[in-house]
Amino acid sequence: KVSAERASTDPKVFTRIGMHFTVSGQQLDAQAVARAVALSHEKYCSATAMLAKTAQIEVSHEVAPT
């Protein structure tokens, strides 16, 4: 799930972006899920790196039962 806020004046850049990941499956290691989410956000996502220049980015996750 993604939510966002934009500046009220032009250019209406994103000022806050929230991303919540829900991961489900059998026998998932909660620490491995947390690490995967962190790596995808901090290391591998070029869009996040670009948007972080103007926006506060909040990332959360949960491991859902199946």
Coordinates of all heavy atoms in Angstrom, one line a residue:
K1 N 0.8 -1.2 0.0 CA 0.0 0.0 0.0 C 0.9 1.2 0.0 O 1.9 1.3 0.7 CB -0.9 0.0 1.2 CG -1.9 -1.1 1.3 CD -2.7 -1.0 2.6 CE -3.6 -2.3 2.6 NZ -4.4 -2.3 3.9
V2 N 0.5 2.2 -0.8 CA 1.3 3.4 -0.9 C 0.4 4.6 -0.6 O -0.7 4.7 -1.1 CB 1.9 3.5 -2.3 CG1 2.7 4.8 -2.5 CG2 2.8 2.4 -2.6
S3 N 0.9 5.5 0.1 CA 0.3 6.8 0.4 C 1.3 7.9 0.2 O 2.5 7.7 0.3 CB -0.3 6.9 1.8 OG 0.7 6.8 2.7
A4 N 0.8 9.1 -0.2 CA 1.7 10.2 -0.4 C 1.1 11.5 -0.2 O -0.2 11.7 -0.2 CB 2.2 10.1 -1.9
E5 N 1.9 12.5 0.1 CA 1.5 13.9 0.1 C 2.4 14.7 -0.8 O 3.5 14.4 -1.0 CB 1.7 14.4 1.6 CG 0.8 13.7 2.6 CD 1.1 14.2 4.0 OE1 1.9 15.1 4.2 OE2 0.5 13.6 4.9
R6 N 1.8 15.7 -1.4 CA 2.5 16.6 -2.3 C 2.5 18.0 -1.8 O 1.6 18.4 -1.1 CB 1.9 16.5 -3.7 CG 2.0 15.1 -4.3 CD 1.3 15.0 -5.7 NE 2.1 15.9 -6.6 CZ 1.7 16.0 -7.9 NH1 0.6 15.4 -8.3 NH2 2.4 16.8 -8.7
A7 N 3.5 18.8 -2.3 CA 3.5 20.2 -1.9 C 2.3 20.9 -2.5 O 1.8 20.5 -3.6 CB 4.8 20.8 -2.5
S8 N 1.9 22.0 -1.9 CA 0.7 22.7 -2.3 C 1.0 23.7 -3.4 O 0.1 24.2 -4.1 CB 0.0 23.4 -1.1 OG 0.9 24.3 -0.5
T9 N 2.3 24.0 -3.6 CA 2.7 25.0 -4.6 C 3.5 24.3 -5.7 O 4.1 23.3 -5.5 CB 3.5 26.1 -4.0 OG1 4.6 25.6 -3.3 CG2 2.6 26.9 -3.0
D10 N 3.5 24.9 -6.9 CA 4.3 24.4 -8.0 C 5.8 24.5 -7.7 O 6.2 25.5 -7.1 CB 4.0 25.1 -9.3 CG 2.6 24.7 -9.8 OD1 2.1 23.6 -9.5 OD2 1.9 25.6 -10.4
P11 N 6.6 23.6 -8.1 CA 6.3 22.3 -8.6 C 5.8 21.4 -7.5 O 6.3 21.4 -6.4 CB 7.6 21.8 -9.2 CG 8.6 22.4 -8.3 CD 8.1 23.8 -7.9
K12 N 4.7 20.7 -7.7 CA 4.1 20.0 -6.6 C 4.8 18.6 -6.4 O 4.3 17.6 -6.8 CB 2.6 19.8 -7.0 CG 1.8 21.1 -7.0 CD 0.4 20.9 -7.2 CE -0.2 22.3 -7.1 NZ -1.5 22.4 -7.7
V13 N 6.0 18.7 -5.9 CA 6.8 17.5 -5.6 C 6.2 16.8 -4.5 O 5.5 17.3 -3.6 CB 8.3 17.9 -5.3 CG1 8.9 18.6 -6.5 CG2 8.3 18.8 -4.1
F14 N 6.5 15.5 -4.4 CA 6.1 14.7 -3.3 C 6.9 15.1 -2.0 O 8.1 15.3 -2.1 CB 6.4 13.2 -3.5 CG 5.4 12.6 -4.5 CD1 5.8 12.4 -5.8 CD2 4.1 12.3 -4.2 CE1 5.0 11.9 -6.8 CE2 3.2 11.8 -5.1 CZ 3.7 11.6 -6.4
T15 N 6.2 15.3 -0.9 CA 6.9 15.7 0.3 C 6.9 14.6 1.3 O 7.7 14.6 2.3 CB 6.2 16.9 1.0 OG1 4.8 16.6 1.2 CG2 6.3 18.1 0.1
R16 N 6.0 13.6 1.2 CA 6.0 12.4 2.1 C 5.4 11.3 1.3 O 4.5 11.4 0.6 CB 5.1 12.7 3.3 CG 5.2 11.6 4.3 CD 4.1 11.5 5.3 NE 2.8 11.2 4.7 CZ 2.4 10.0 4.4 NH1 3.2 8.9 4.5 NH2 1.2 9.7 3.8
I17 N 6.1 10.1 1.4 CA 5.7 8.9 0.8 C 5.7 7.8 1.8 O 6.7 7.6 2.5 CB 6.6 8.5 -0.4 CG1 6.6 9.6 -1.5 CG2 6.2 7.2 -1.0 CD1 7.6 9.5 -2.5
G18 N 4.6 7.1 1.9 CA 4.6 5.9 2.8 C 4.3 4.7 2.0 O 3.5 4.6 1.2
M19 N 5.1 3.7 2.3 CA 5.0 2.4 1.7 C 4.9 1.3 2.7 O 5.7 1.2 3.6 CB 6.2 2.1 0.8 CG 6.4 3.0 -0.4 SD 7.8 2.6 -1.4 CE 9.1 3.3 -0.5
H20 N 3.8 0.5 2.6 CA 3.6 -0.6 3.6 C 3.5 -1.9 2.8 O 2.7 -2.1 1.9 CB 2.3 -0.4 4.4 CG 2.1 -1.5 5.4 ND1 2.8 -1.6 6.5 CD2 1.3 -2.6 5.3 CE1 2.4 -2.7 7.2 NE2 1.5 -3.3 6.5
F21 N 4.4 -2.8 3.1 CA 4.5 -4.1 2.4 C 3.8 -5.2 3.3 O 4.1 -5.2 4.5 CB 6.0 -4.5 2.1 CG 6.7 -3.6 1.2 CD1 7.3 -2.5 1.7 CD2 6.7 -3.9 -0.1 CE1 8.0 -1.6 0.8 CE2 7.4 -3.0 -1.0 CZ 8.0 -1.9 -0.5
T22 N 3.0 -6.0 2.7 CA 2.4 -7.1 3.3 C 2.9 -8.3 2.7 O 2.7 -8.5 1.4 CB 0.8 -7.0 3.3 OG1 0.4 -5.8 3.9 CG2 0.2 -8.2 4.0
V23 N 3.6 -9.2 3.4 CA 4.2 -10.4 2.8 C 3.5 -11.6 3.5 O 3.4 -11.7 4.7 CB 5.7 -10.4 3.1 CG1 6.4 -11.6 2.5 CG2 6.4 -9.1 2.6
S24 N 3.1 -12.5 2.6 CA 2.5 -13.7 3.2 C 3.1 -15.0 2.6 O 3.6 -14.9 1.5 CB 1.0 -13.7 2.9 OG 0.7 -13.7 1.6
G25 N 3.1 -16.0 3.3 CA 3.7 -17.3 2.8 C 3.8 -18.2 4.0 O 3.5 -17.9 5.1
Q26 N 4.4 -19.4 3.7 CA 4.5 -20.4 4.8 C 6.0 -20.4 5.3 O 6.9 -20.2 4.5 CB 4.2 -21.7 4.2 CG 2.7 -21.9 3.9 CD 2.3 -23.2 3.4 OE1 3.2 -24.1 3.2 NE2 1.1 -23.4 3.1
Q27 N 6.1 -20.5 6.6 CA 7.4 -20.6 7.2 C 8.4 -19.4 6.8 O 9.6 -19.6 6.5 CB 8.1 -21.9 6.9 CG 7.3 -23.1 7.4 CD 7.9 -24.4 7.0 OE1 8.8 -24.5 6.2 NE2 7.4 -25.5 7.6
L28 N 7.8 -18.2 6.8 CA 8.7 -17.0 6.5 C 9.4 -16.6 7.8 O 8.9 -16.6 8.9 CB 7.8 -15.9 6.1 CG 7.1 -16.1 4.7 CD1 6.2 -14.9 4.4 CD2 8.1 -16.3 3.6
D29 N 10.7 -16.3 7.5 CA 11.5 -15.8 8.6 C 11.3 -14.2 8.7 O 11.6 -13.5 7.7 CB 13.0 -16.1 8.3 CG 14.0 -15.6 9.3 OD1 13.7 -14.7 10.1 OD2 15.1 -16.2 9.4
A30 N 10.8 -13.8 9.8 CA 10.5 -12.3 9.9 C 11.7 -11.5 9.7 O 11.6 -10.4 9.1 CB 9.9 -12.1 11.3
Q31 N 12.9 -11.9 10.2 CA 14.1 -11.1 10.0 C 14.5 -11.1 8.5 O 15.0 -10.0 8.0 CB 15.2 -11.7 10.8 CG 15.1 -11.4 12.3 CD 16.2 -11.9 13.1 OE1 16.8 -13.0 12.8 NE2 16.6 -11.2 14.2
A32 N 14.3 -12.2 7.8 CA 14.6 -12.2 6.4 C 13.7 -11.3 5.6 O 14.1 -10.6 4.6 CB 14.6 -13.6 5.8
V33 N 12.4 -11.2 5.9 CA 11.5 -10.3 5.3 C 11.9 -8.9 5.6 O 11.9 -8.1 4.6 CB 10.0 -10.6 5.8 CG1 9.1 -9.5 5.3 CG2 9.6 -12.0 5.3
A34 N 12.2 -8.6 6.8 CA 12.6 -7.2 7.1 C 13.9 -6.8 6.4 O 14.0 -5.7 5.9 CB 12.9 -7.1 8.6
R35 N 14.8 -7.7 6.2 CA 16.0 -7.4 5.5 C 15.7 -7.2 4.0 O 16.3 -6.3 3.4 CB 17.1 -8.5 5.7 CG 18.4 -8.2 5.0 CD 19.5 -9.2 5.4 NE 20.8 -8.8 5.1 CZ 21.3 -8.9 3.9 NH1 20.6 -9.4 2.9 NH2 22.6 -8.6 3.6
A36 N 14.9 -8.0 3.4 CA 14.5 -7.9 2.0 C 13.8 -6.5 1.7 O 14.1 -5.9 0.8 CB 13.6 -9.0 1.6
V37 N 12.9 -6.1 2.6 CA 12.2 -4.9 2.5 C 13.2 -3.7 2.6 O 13.2 -2.8 1.8 CB 11.1 -4.7 3.5 CG1 10.5 -3.3 3.5 CG2 10.0 -5.7 3.2
A38 N 14.1 -3.8 3.6 CA 15.1 -2.7 3.8 C 16.1 -2.6 2.6 O 16.3 -1.5 2.1 CB 15.9 -3.0 5.0
L39 N 16.5 -3.8 2.1 CA 17.4 -3.7 0.9 C 16.7 -3.2 -0.3 O 17.3 -2.4 -1.1 CB 18.0 -5.1 0.6 CG 19.1 -5.6 1.6 CD1 19.4 -7.1 1.3 CD2 20.3 -4.7 1.4
S40 N 15.5 -3.6 -0.5 CA 14.8 -3.1 -1.7 C 14.6 -1.6 -1.6 O 14.7 -0.9 -2.7 CB 13.4 -3.8 -1.9 OG 12.6 -3.4 -0.8
H41 N 14.4 -1.1 -0.5 CA 14.2 0.4 -0.3 C 15.6 1.1 -0.3 O 15.7 2.1 -1.0 CB 13.5 0.6 1.0 CG 13.5 2.0 1.5 ND1 12.9 3.0 0.9 CD2 14.1 2.5 2.6 CE1 13.1 4.2 1.6 NE2 13.9 3.9 2.6
E42 N 16.5 0.7 0.4 CA 17.8 1.4 0.6 C 18.8 1.2 -0.5 O 19.6 2.1 -0.7 CB 18.4 1.0 2.0 CG 17.5 1.3 3.2 CD 18.0 0.6 4.4 OE1 19.0 -0.1 4.4 OE2 17.3 0.8 5.5
K43 N 18.8 0.1 -1.1 CA 19.9 -0.2 -2.0 C 19.5 -0.4 -3.5 O 20.2 0.1 -4.3 CB 20.6 -1.5 -1.5 CG 21.9 -1.9 -2.3 CD 22.6 -3.0 -1.7 CE 23.9 -3.3 -2.4 NZ 24.6 -4.4 -1.9
Y44 N 18.4 -1.0 -3.7 CA 18.1 -1.4 -5.1 C 17.1 -0.6 -5.8 O 16.9 -0.7 -7.0 CB 17.6 -2.9 -5.1 CG 18.7 -3.9 -4.7 CD1 18.6 -4.6 -3.5 CD2 19.9 -4.0 -5.4 CE1 19.5 -5.4 -3.1 CE2 20.9 -4.8 -4.9 CZ 20.7 -5.6 -3.8 OH 21.7 -6.4 -3.4
C45 N 16.4 0.3 -5.1 CA 15.3 1.1 -5.8 C 15.8 2.5 -6.2 O 16.0 3.4 -5.3 CB 14.1 1.2 -4.9 SG 12.7 2.0 -5.7
S46 N 16.1 2.7 -7.4 CA 16.6 4.0 -7.9 C 15.5 5.0 -7.8 O 15.8 6.2 -7.6 CB 17.1 3.9 -9.3 OG 16.1 3.4 -10.2
A47 N 14.2 4.7 -7.9 CA 13.1 5.6 -7.8 C 13.1 6.2 -6.3 O 12.9 7.4 -6.1 CB 11.8 5.0 -8.1
T48 N 13.3 5.3 -5.4 CA 13.3 5.8 -4.0 C 14.5 6.7 -3.7 O 14.3 7.7 -3.1 CB 13.4 4.6 -3.0 OG1 12.3 3.7 -3.2 CG2 13.5 5.0 -1.6
A49 N 15.6 6.4 -4.3 CA 16.8 7.3 -4.1 C 16.5 8.7 -4.7 O 16.9 9.7 -4.1 CB 18.0 6.7 -4.8
M50 N 15.8 8.7 -5.8 CA 15.5 10.0 -6.5 C 14.5 10.8 -5.7 O 14.6 12.0 -5.5 CB 15.1 9.7 -7.9 CG 14.9 11.0 -8.7 SD 14.6 10.7 -10.5 CE 13.5 9.2 -10.5
L51 N 13.4 10.1 -5.3 CA 12.3 10.7 -4.6 C 12.8 11.2 -3.2 O 12.2 12.2 -2.6 CB 11.1 9.8 -4.5 CG 10.4 9.6 -5.8 CD1 9.4 8.4 -5.7 CD2 9.7 10.8 -6.3
A52 N 13.7 10.5 -2.6 CA 14.2 10.9 -1.2 C 14.8 12.3 -1.2 O 15.0 12.8 -0.1 CB 15.1 9.8 -0.7
K53 N 15.1 12.8 -2.3 CA 15.7 14.2 -2.3 C 14.7 15.3 -1.9 O 15.1 16.3 -1.5 CB 16.3 14.5 -3.7 CG 17.5 13.5 -4.0 CD 18.2 13.9 -5.3 CE 19.2 12.9 -5.7 NZ 20.3 12.7 -4.7
T54 N 13.4 15.0 -2.1 CA 12.4 16.0 -1.8 C 11.4 15.4 -0.8 O 10.6 16.2 -0.2 CB 11.6 16.5 -3.0 OG1 11.0 15.3 -3.6 CG2 12.6 17.1 -4.0
A55 N 11.3 14.1 -0.6 CA 10.3 13.6 0.2 C 10.8 12.8 1.4 O 11.9 12.1 1.3 CB 9.4 12.6 -0.6
Q56 N 10.1 12.8 2.5 CA 10.4 11.9 3.6 C 9.7 10.6 3.3 O 8.5 10.5 3.0 CB 9.8 12.5 4.9 CG 9.9 11.5 6.1 CD 9.2 12.1 7.3 OE1 8.6 13.1 7.3 NE2 9.2 11.3 8.3
I57 N 10.5 9.5 3.2 CA 10.0 8.2 2.8 C 9.9 7.3 4.1 O 10.9 7.1 4.8 CB 10.8 7.6 1.7 CG1 10.8 8.5 0.5 CG2 10.3 6.2 1.4 CD1 11.7 8.0 -0.6
E58 N 8.7 6.8 4.3 CA 8.5 5.9 5.4 C 8.2 4.5 4.9 O 7.3 4.4 4.0 CB 7.3 6.4 6.3 CG 7.5 7.8 6.8 CD 6.3 8.5 7.3 OE1 5.2 7.9 7.2 OE2 6.4 9.6 7.8
V59 N 8.9 3.5 5.4 CA 8.7 2.1 4.9 C 8.3 1.3 6.1 O 9.0 1.3 7.1 CB 9.9 1.6 4.2 CG1 9.7 0.2 3.8 CG2 10.3 2.5 3.0
S60 N 7.3 0.5 6.0 CA 6.9 -0.5 7.0 C 6.5 -1.8 6.3 O 6.3 -1.9 5.1 CB 5.7 0.1 7.8 OG 4.6 0.3 7.0
H61 N 6.4 -2.8 7.1 CA 6.1 -4.1 6.6 C 5.4 -5.0 7.7 O 5.5 -4.7 8.9 CB 7.3 -4.9 6.0 CG 8.2 -5.4 7.1 ND1 9.2 -4.6 7.7 CD2 8.3 -6.6 7.7 CE1 9.8 -5.3 8.6 NE2 9.3 -6.5 8.6
E62 N 4.7 -6.0 7.2 CA 4.1 -7.0 8.1 C 4.2 -8.4 7.4 O 4.2 -8.4 6.2 CB 2.7 -6.6 8.5 CG 1.8 -6.7 7.3 CD 0.3 -6.4 7.7 OE1 -0.3 -7.1 8.5 OE2 -0.2 -5.4 7.1
V63 N 4.3 -9.4 8.3 CA 4.2 -10.7 7.8 C 2.8 -11.2 8.1 O 2.5 -11.3 9.3 CB 5.3 -11.6 8.4 CG1 5.1 -13.1 7.9 CG2 6.7 -11.1 8.1
A64 N 2.0 -11.5 7.1 CA 0.6 -11.9 7.3 C 0.5 -13.4 7.3 O 1.2 -14.1 6.6 CB -0.2 -11.3 6.2
P65 N -0.3 -13.9 8.2 CA -0.5 -15.3 8.2 C -1.2 -15.8 7.0 O -2.0 -15.0 6.3 CB -1.4 -15.5 9.4 CG -2.1 -14.2 9.7 CD -1.2 -13.2 9.2
T66 N -1.0 -17.0 6.5 CA -1.6 -17.6 5.3 C -2.7 -18.5 5.7 O -2.8 -19.0 6.8 CB -0.6 -18.3 4.4 OG1 0.1 -19.3 5.2 CG2 0.4 -17.3 3.9

